[in-house]
Amino acid sequence: MNRGSEPTLLELSVPGRQAWSLQRNELPDRPIESCIPPEHLADHRPRLPEVSERDLVGHFTRLSHRQYSVDLGSYPLGSCTMKYNPKFADEVAALRGLADVHPAAPEQAIQGWLALVCDLEKALCSLVGMAGATFQPAAGAAGELTGLLMVRAFHAAGEARSRGGAAGGGAAGRGGGSGHASSGRTKVIIPDSAHGTNPASVTLAGYEAVTVPSDTRGCVDLAALREAIAGDVAAVMLTNPNTLGLFEEDIAEIARLAHNRGALLYYDGANLNAILGMVRPGDMGFDVVHLNLHKTFATPHGGGGPGSGPVLVSERLLDFLPGPRPALMGDGERYGWMVPERSIGRMHSWHGNALVVARALAYVLYNGSAGLRKVSNLAVLNANWIRKRLESSYQVPFDRPCMHEVVISAEKLKSDRGLSALDVAKRLLEEGFHAPTIYFPLIVREALMIEPTETESLQTLQALAEALERIASGTVERDAKPAPRTTPVGRVDEARAARRLEITG
Amino acid sequence: MNRGSEPTLLELSVPGRQAWSLQRNELPDRPIESCIPPEHLADHRPRLPEVSERDLVGHFTRLSHRQYSVDLGSYPLGSCTMKYNPKFADEVAALRGLADVHPAAPEQAIQGWLALVCDLEKALCSLVGMAGATFQPAAGAAGELTGLLMVRAFHAAGEARSRGGAAGGGAAGRGGGSGHASSGRTKVIIPDSAHGTNPASVTLAGYEAVTVPSDTRGCVDLAALREAIAGDVAAVMLTNPNTLGLFEEDIAEIARLAHNRGALLYYDGANLNAILGMVRPGDMGFDVVHLNLHKTFATPHGGGGPGSGPVLVSERLLDFLPGPRPALMGDGERYGWMVPERSIGRMHSWHGNALVVARALAYVLYNGSAGLRKVSNLAVLNANWIRKRLESSYQVPFDRPCMHEVVISAEKLKSDRGLSALDVAKRLLEEGFHAPTIYFPLIVREALMIEPTETESLQTLQALAEALERIASGTVERDAKPAPRTTPVGRVDEARAARRLEITG
Amino acid sequence: MLSFLGLRTLEELYSAIPEALRLGAELELLDGLPAEGLSETEVMAWMDGYARANIPVGRSSVCFAGGGAYDRGAPSATRSLAQRSEFVTSYTPYQPEVAQGVLQALFEYQTTVTALTGLDISNASLYDGASALVEAIRLAVAVTGRTAVLCSQGVHPAWRDVACTALPAASISLEMLPLRDGATAWPTGYGDAGGVPGERPGAIVVSYPNYLGCLEDIAAARRLADETLAILIVCFDPVAMGILRSPGSWGADVAVGEGQPLGMPLSFGGPYLGLFATRMDLARKLPGRLVGKTEDIDGRPAFVMTLRAREQDIRRERATSNVCTNQTLMAITAAIQLGWLGPGGLAEIARRSAVAAHYCRDELCALDGVRPLVGAPFFDEFAITLPIPAQIVIDRMLEEGYLAGIQVPPELNTGSDKGLLIAVTERRTLAEIDGFVAALAKVIC
Amino acid sequence: MLSFLGLRTLEELYSAIPEALRLGAELELLDGLPAEGLSETEVMAWMDGYARANIPVGRSSVCFAGGGAYDRGAPSATRSLAQRSEFVTSYTPYQPEVAQGVLQALFEYQTTVTALTGLDISNASLYDGASALVEAIRLAVAVTGRTAVLCSQGVHPAWRDVACTALPAASISLEMLPLRDGATAWPTGYGDAGGVPGERPGAIVVSYPNYLGCLEDIAAARRLADETLAILIVCFDPVAMGILRSPGSWGADVAVGEGQPLGMPLSFGGPYLGLFATRMDLARKLPGRLVGKTEDIDGRPAFVMTLRAREQDIRRERATSNVCTNQTLMAITAAIQLGWLGPGGLAEIARRSAVAAHYCRDELCALDGVRPLVGAPFFDEFAITLPIPAQIVIDRMLEEGYLAGIQVPPELNTGSDKGLLIAVTERRTLAEIDGFVAALAKVIC
Ligand SMILES: Cc1ncc(COP(=O)(O)O)c(C=O)c1O
Ligand SMILES: Cc1ncc(COP(=O)(O)O)c(C=O)c1O
């Protein structure tokens, strides 16, 4: 990758230079003041760069050479499923008949899109064992909030019903500010290994997050859960396999506990890549599932988005799904929009990240059900290979087979040789790999969370393991310059960034 | 750029791994031996790499990070016109209505292509002052040979005519082996500054190359030319501006001399970028012109091709153009193919590098005649700025304004500080620029030929000049590791490559 | 690999999963999809089937629809740069040393958003306009400690809908202020007889231009915010910023917008780009990622995600936003597109759009039975009243080759279904507008 | 910048150009093109006009035409990798330290070509099949010192035409050997009564498969070459090498071919890719660029253009080839495509094409009035005789949605215009072939 540094586009800017050109539109010219009252007109132009197209292309191409990516190499970032994405999905997303469609076009102009979304809904429902889905949420976190708002609306409606009040309709759906007060359910239980978005979403949904600890097996501590679960719990929110890469073996019991107390079971689908075609959240007892299409269903992550976080629900939550949603109309020949009776409302300006949805469907078609199972099998195989291989050089806190990712610890390395998880990560960058996720989940000290994904070959895994072993056998010398030393920039001063906030320029 | 090294795809290969997938074709299966006699069937498969798509993409993406390019920065390689090419040309070349057309499709299926070629022919003819063109030659060198074969056919036909023989028809056109014997014209004159393809093409066309020296102004030595030109000369082959970046001011006189002796004047259009819309080869007296569309008309060079080397000719050579060529048919409504009466024959399997031709037309449309003139003006301005700026740190052998490129010399640097042209070039690579062309033209010692092109900004020129000045103020230390030291690989051992030929692996 | 693990079958890897839960049979995902999946060629053909069942804008339907999603141009340079696989296939830049490309691009994106909004600080993107609005309201509530929100009805109906879906659970209540002749009827004295009753608002939300294309009196909104000590949130159109006064110059505390017009195709509504900018003193309340400039260990400029302590992965249940994955690639696209346009290009497309829209409205309103829906000044989008229901006109116009616009929601049109919202971008030519007017004249009679 | 040069106008830069030669007026380049040019949008629309005046293969015309240009697939991976701007916007790799990407890709390309041909050494590409043939003949003449060439008439007619255009000027003469029932009639004893007369040839050229799709007796050609001490040049189809014996295994000295089927679209005939391979002992006579593996100063593997002394820029008028710019990007494309296919994929597309072609010929020849033109075994392309002129069938079939093939040149068909050459690639499905046969049945009656 490109060392040195690259000025910002504004620094490259020279007054009067221009890249843009516009077609002739032949309209009679007319002073802008005759259209728009002068008090609305700006007295200066926004300070944007002025560059030639050549300078623009040079700049962003050079920037791209300062960026690591899946296409350049292994990216074993745990919890992120940074797999290789087949290239044809880019061509799918570029199809003019998909990309150039206005979201408010009348139904006869969008039959293809409506069918596409319905088809993916069908396939995903089958895959996770649910009854219906919304594709409005633009990412996993948005899916979580959407799912929790549906949980909320569900309980509110139940309460209304049980009080003999006027159930159904927008009021219950909207789950107004006082919703949980009336339902009496104010809490959502999450394990201490949960991803940060889970507790944050719980709060945004107006619930109190109650954390239950993990036990020595790395799973939810059943006893603690039993204690926590009471009539004020709206939902238990889990991911399975959990963020330690371990399957919650007691999931059936957990589901029973939750359901017995009238709580719903929420599935954070970020880790679905482990279990495609092997076991279904629906069959485990989950009521609501959000998926990260940008993880399991192979949308490249785009440096941090766009994603897509559809929420799938069981029969009894169908009525609460956000609307409008696409559906096959009564005649069975035409697709149209419908709003579920007790819909919570909209969760997106339009219909979600539609082009990501299209990519995901293409991925499903490419793999088929057997192919998807193979995806998971290889993802799990690769993670276990890494786990086994690194057993001797790192600590593996939980001595059992993992699923699609493995959490190892540099705790001993740190005490023995002064090598922290951060040091290991930064040295791995030097070796030409991306680093694993570090210091997450929070419950493992000096955690390194490795998710090799199914698309990496044994050769790549070997090279990765060798690099990690090489690093483990090193030490941190006091005065040496810290790693990484061969990357486009050296160790970045993060503290300075926060201290002297420079966020434009 | 990426340091380290990248194994070859074969080295990454693992038996049984596969990237390919094919659609179901539903054909009844049938043993291949029932189609093809066994003696024709190979007993083993070719040794090709076996990799996953992920490995394939990783490999070539990493390779791309080991490659400098115009999009990454300035590429002032003299004689090569490495300008930035507007990106829309890529989209033009990808239009399915252009890219997915079979070259042998019937005329009614290719009306668009035929019109496109005719339109570019018209525009280029206007631009260089010629009457017709062929787009068959796939690069400049192929254009040279094509043009010279036409020269040959022209003289043969003239000879036939003057001998009262049966002129016309394929025989003359084909300019058979004995063509020049009969015409008595056996030589082509080229200046000593000529590009290597010129003399090579002359030989391939069955002519003897006669070199005339340059004078102290860097132009053709008129006296020497006068001496060389005689009745046995078939053509004088020049580029103007010449490869020293200087305009041959006596071009009118040269044309007069050539024409008086019955010779034709051939224009190597590689340097056309200097004079678009300012002066036309046709008006200078040239009879045959080849253009490098991949230089002046902004086809990105593709690491060494594809190019396109159309040949344009004056009225009297029209009849000898290769065929078939597209033309508007008699009815003026339909395009078709025609073969000129005395065509030399074909010069390409099909119709030349058609998609490059399409790009070139898009470039012409984008610029228009005024825009093309501006292209040249800025190219010349930039070269002169560089020339003036570097006057003090390098030697400029010819003390007059240059055209689109400038040749400077490191001769003094070499004697004073031990810095050869090669050293300067390699150090420039370290500075993040591509090197200029070095040791060409052959007539300037320690030549560095700089062609900044019109697409580089003043800021870039300044940075380039600063880098060159920094280098000029350095010296070569005996024991120091030679430059470049920050590139994907260090100084490459070229001698070893030739000594221990390893050309597959 | 299995033998290295001491296993014989892949199945054994799943020993942790209780037998009873494991799937026995092959799942049926979709009719006609074989279990082993399709080849790339077949997938492309299958997906092309959907594509051909749509009518995209362009040759087959000239687009006069807007309503927050605009048919604007993007050059191939933007497309090809934003498609570079280094941007496309990387994750959120957690390791800054190998993510300077994305980080610097986001830093430059933030810079352009502050330039457009006239505010100090921009985050690195949110999902879309609606989510940006929701986050802005959350910020206002967190800053003021007050949960009532006054929202102009000129704000995009879908955005308001999202706010009404997402916020009440957090005990935030929204009150809508109606439009009068296209502009918000601002209460003049807060709590006075003529004003709104009760609770003081934590936020005031207005759109500029608003959903009907009209230019609101932002100064009045600012005055009301000053009176009530509320945070003023202005929803803005980034392209309009080429010529209109910025939210910052009008005194907005937060500006939110939809970034789609900055180089993203219509995409059936997504992926789009939520723009978000605010004042520097609210930096520590900013939702979403933020990139800052710093130095590396050798003192060279370097970029990094900063003020991370605000975010969900650190603050967890105490975070005011749950955003993790955002729309980075779209933010990079916007930065590239704004680099291509520059101030001159942005001003020119804004000017052209406004001029074309005014021409179009004049021509339409010269037709029998067509008149402007409202009288307020507008930018490049406007509403008209038709003699027949808008949906009928839209359907008929589609057959004529035009995407005629969007029906004005009856709530904004005293219950009538005859309002049509029309957007005219810089892409529309005289011939297209004249054709559109002629076709509309035909279909309404 | 002008003032730095002491100038006032750009015009002054051109003071070296005699006044009389300078253009006065603005040139008229094309009708309707303004002097200041068009915007990108307009250029795309203009170019799209040409595109829409063509009938591309695909949905609108299912391709059964071949003749050296084949409708084969390429995955998006090939396209997207070959489009990376580092490959696209670099020059010939004169500075190896910053050109390892292109150089290594070419090295890998060379490796695949040697694998396909069964020969030792490949160059880094030539323009197309025809130019590769021309260079092969030049090489043979240079090696043998003999200028007569015996060329099978089964070699692609256009390639032969190019050879006949380019070579006689260098005093090389070509003699065509006719086909008998689809295969070359090789003279058995050279100079004998039954053989060809006169001069001993420097080169013998044969195509495998040949233009009619037939599999020639290369062993016989080899024997003739041995007898005459000529260089044997075999024109090969790279896809056929998935299952057929390689030129090298048949004893070819030089193999040349058209690389288009290795990932390049039909492109109206170009840019394509000239494949060229030969024996190691002829390395120093190889035309075109050659990449070799070496080391850098630190002993790391590195690639570089080698044996440069053969080339025109060094050898000048003594060079045996003038090639400079070649088809590097196409060579890289082919290397990627062959990496995607691997030996298994290449074998499978070859097998499928052959099976489909044989099915198609059987079905066609079951039609009344249709019969095989020749009896020799073939790979995936074959010629049939129609009851009416082929051109009429081609025209009618286009209206039915098929590109039916190419008329067999009368010179290969005893003067008849009723021969049709049909290619069936791996992309053709049963439904398409059956549809094709049915349509053809319709148009010939
Ligand atoms: C376990 C888990 N849950 C939730 C999320 C949130 O998803 P998103 O980033 O799409 O909002 C992530 C991803 O970051 C995750 O790994
Ligand atoms: C002056 C000159 N003439 C001819 C050529 C040959 O053109 P090509 O490389 O396209 O064969 C070149 C380019 O290399 C050149 O610079």
Side-chain angles (χ1 to χ4, degrees), chain A residues 158-393:
Chain A
E159 188 61 22
R161 215 172 25 249
S162 70
R163 278 191 287 141
R174 283 294 162 98
S178 50
H180 70 70
S182 62
S183 83
R185 296 187 183 268
T186 58
K187 293 177 180 160
V188 171
I189 293 180
I190 54 171
D192 57 0
S193 63
H195 190 263
T197 50
N198 291 185
S201 300
V202 166
T203 304
L204 296 183
Y207 287 114
E208 183 190 333
V210 177
T211 305
V212 292
S214 305
D215 63 16
T216 52
R217 299 166 312 154
C219 290
V220 170
D221 184 323
L222 263 191
L225 181 70
R226 267 197 202 93
E227 204 148 305
I229 232 166
D232 61 352
V233 172
V236 178
M237 195 173 188
L238 295 176
T239 180
N240 195 13
N242 64 25
T243 59
L244 293 162
L246 302 173
F247 195 85
E248 300 279 356
E249 302 187 13
D250 299 323
I251 186 63
E253 173 63 7
I254 295 172
R256 210 186 47 80
L257 283 174
H259 290 152
N260 277 353
R261 289 304 197 129
L264 296 175
L265 206 59
Y266 184 106
Y267 185 82
D268 174 343
N271 292 341
L272 194 77
N273 209 50
I275 58 165
L276 296 165
M278 299 301 295
V279 55
R280 309 194 299 173
D283 299 340
M284 298 182 214
F286 286 93
D287 304 286
V288 193
V289 173
H290 91 256
L291 299 180
N292 280 8
L293 297 186
H294 44 302
K295 294 184 175 165
T296 316
F297 295 93
T299 290
H301 211 281
S308 173
V311 178
L312 299 93
V313 295
S314 63
E315 205 74 49
R316 56 186 178 148
L317 284 160
L318 270 182
D319 240 17
F320 300 93
L321 281 168
R325 41 189 307 248
L328 197 55
M329 294 291 95
D331 58 9
E333 307 225 308
R334 212 171 33 86
Y335 289 89
W337 293 111
M338 60 85 95
V339 178
E341 230 181 287
R342 296 183 289 184
S343 171
I344 58 166
R346 278 189 170 275
M347 285 300 284
H348 190 266
S349 299
W350 299 101
H351 323 302
N353 282 342
L355 291 178
V356 178
V357 171
R359 285 171 179 273
L361 179 54
Y363 184 75
V364 168
L365 294 173
Y366 183 65
N367 285 289
S369 54
L372 290 174
R373 195 169 53 239
K374 191 168 159 205
V375 159
S376 286
N377 291 173
L378 293 182
V380 172
L381 178 65
N382 282 353
N384 277 288
W385 188 94
I386 283 283
R387 182 184 156 281
K388 172 103 183 166
R389 168 78 185 244
L390 294 180
E391 246 169 22
S392 47
S393 42

Side-chain angles (χ1 to χ4, degrees), chain D residues 22-389:
Chain D
R22 277 192 241 169
L23 271 171
E26 196 69 67
L27 292 172
E28 165 82 30
L29 298 182
L30 268 179
D31 294 347
L33 176 62
E36 69 282 13
L38 300 176
S39 68
E40 174 173 335
T41 314
E42 291 157 313
V43 172
M44 288 309 298
W46 185 306
M47 297 305 295
D48 201 42
Y50 300 117
R52 283 181 305 114
N54 292 323
I55 304 176
V57 303
R59 195 178 308 285
S60 31
S61 73
V62 181
C63 184
F64 286 82
Y70 299 93
D71 177 32
R72 300 204 181 273
S76 47
T78 298
R79 270 188 297 279
S80 83
L81 289 172
Q83 276 167 16
R84 285 194 60 85
S85 71
E86 295 86 346
F87 298 136
V88 173
T89 74
S90 54
Y91 200 77
T92 304
Y94 289 135
Q95 295 290 342
E97 294 85 359
V98 293
Q100 289 297 303
V102 164
L103 285 164
Q104 183 169 339
L106 288 175
F107 179 83
E108 298 186 12
Y109 162 78
Q110 292 173 180
T111 305
T112 63
V113 174
T114 59
L116 293 184
T117 55
L119 283 164
D120 312 318
I121 180 170
S122 154
N123 69 13
S125 83
L126 292 165
Y127 306 137
D128 59 1
S131 68
L133 173 59
V134 167
E135 296 286 358
I137 293 173
R138 286 214 183 98
L139 175 145
V141 170
V143 168
T144 63
R146 281 174 277 133
T147 57
V149 177
L150 272 186
C151 181
S152 156
Q153 228 174 355
V155 170
H156 196 298
W159 302 14
R160 288 188 278 122
D161 199 346
V162 174
C164 292
T165 304
L167 295 172
S171 302
I172 298 170
S173 64
L174 290 103
E175 173 131 13
M176 300 300 155
L177 288 176
L179 299 184
R180 212 173 287 153
D181 199 25
T184 312
W186 298 111
T188 46
Y190 197 77
D192 291 3
V196 282
E199 220 184 328
R200 251 178 42 208
I204 291 169
V205 188
V206 61
S207 188
Y208 185 70
N210 69 18
Y211 189 68
L212 297 179
C214 297
L215 300 176
E216 296 266 6
D217 182 354
I218 309 294
R222 178 69 258 173
R223 281 194 298 277
L224 185 60
D226 285 340
E227 275 173 41
T228 57
L229 299 178
I231 294 286
L232 176 62
I233 300 169
V234 174
C235 307
F236 73 104
D237 169 5
V239 168
M241 297 305 113
I243 53 173
L244 295 190
R245 282 185 58 179
S246 67
S249 80
W250 284 115
D253 301 300
V254 185
V256 297
E258 174 53 64
Q260 177 271 334
L262 302 175
M264 280 134 266
L266 288 165
S267 318
F268 194 54
Y272 282 9
L273 169 64
L275 307 170
F276 191 105
T278 186
R279 302 191 325 244
M280 188 52 100
D281 60 312
L282 301 179
R284 268 150 231 272
K285 293 267 188 302
L286 191 77
R289 314 281 188 192
L290 177 68
V291 173
K293 189 173 178 187
T294 179
E295 288 179 354
D296 80 350
I297 195 157
D298 300 317
R300 290 182 306 162
F303 301 87
V304 67
M305 292 198 294
T306 192
L307 298 193
R308 294 268 288 116
R310 299 162 299 120
E311 293 186 45
Q312 42 73 29
D313 52 335
I314 297 177
R315 196 173 290 257
R316 299 178 72 84
E317 60 271 12
R318 284 168 304 115
T320 50
S321 163
N322 65 344
V323 175
C324 178
T325 292
N326 55 21
Q327 305 278 119
T328 298
L329 193 61
M330 277 63 234
I332 295 175
T333 304
I336 298 167
Q337 176 73 3
L338 285 167
W340 187 80
L341 284 170
L346 190 71
E348 180 60 13
I349 66 171
R351 195 193 63 78
R352 282 198 187 194
S353 301
V355 168
H358 284 75
Y359 172 83
C360 185
R361 189 172 80 153
D362 291 351
E363 295 293 308
L364 284 171
C365 292
L367 299 179
D368 255 5
V370 177
R371 54 192 168 74
L373 186 75
V374 294
F378 65 98
F379 169 52
D380 70 350
E381 195 162 11
F382 57 89
I384 55 174
T385 294
L386 297 163
I388 56 175

Side-chain angles (χ1 to χ4, degrees), chain A residues 78-81 138-144 193-198 237 239 241-243 268-271 290-295 301 304 306-309 405 440 449 451, chain C residues 91-92 94 127 289 312 322-326:
Chain A
S79 201
C80 301
T81 315
E144 293 170 18
S193 63
H195 190 263
T197 50
N198 291 185
M237 195 173 188
T239 180
N242 64 25
T243 59
D268 174 343
N271 292 341
H290 91 256
L291 299 180
N292 280 8
L293 297 186
H294 44 302
K295 294 184 175 165
H301 211 281
S308 173
E405 60 192 355
F440 180 80
M449 186 183 197
E451 182 178 9
Chain C
Y91 199 78
T92 303
Y94 289 136
Y127 305 138
R289 314 281 188 191
Q312 41 72 30
N322 65 344
V323 175
C324 178
T325 292
N326 54 21

Side-chain angles (χ1 to χ4, degrees), chain B residues 79 139-141 144 195 197-198 243 268 270 292 294-295, chain D residues 91 324-325:
Chain B
S79 202
E144 293 170 18
H195 190 263
T197 50
N198 290 187
T243 60
D268 173 342
N292 279 8
H294 43 303
K295 294 183 174 165
Chain D
Y91 200 77
C324 178
T325 292

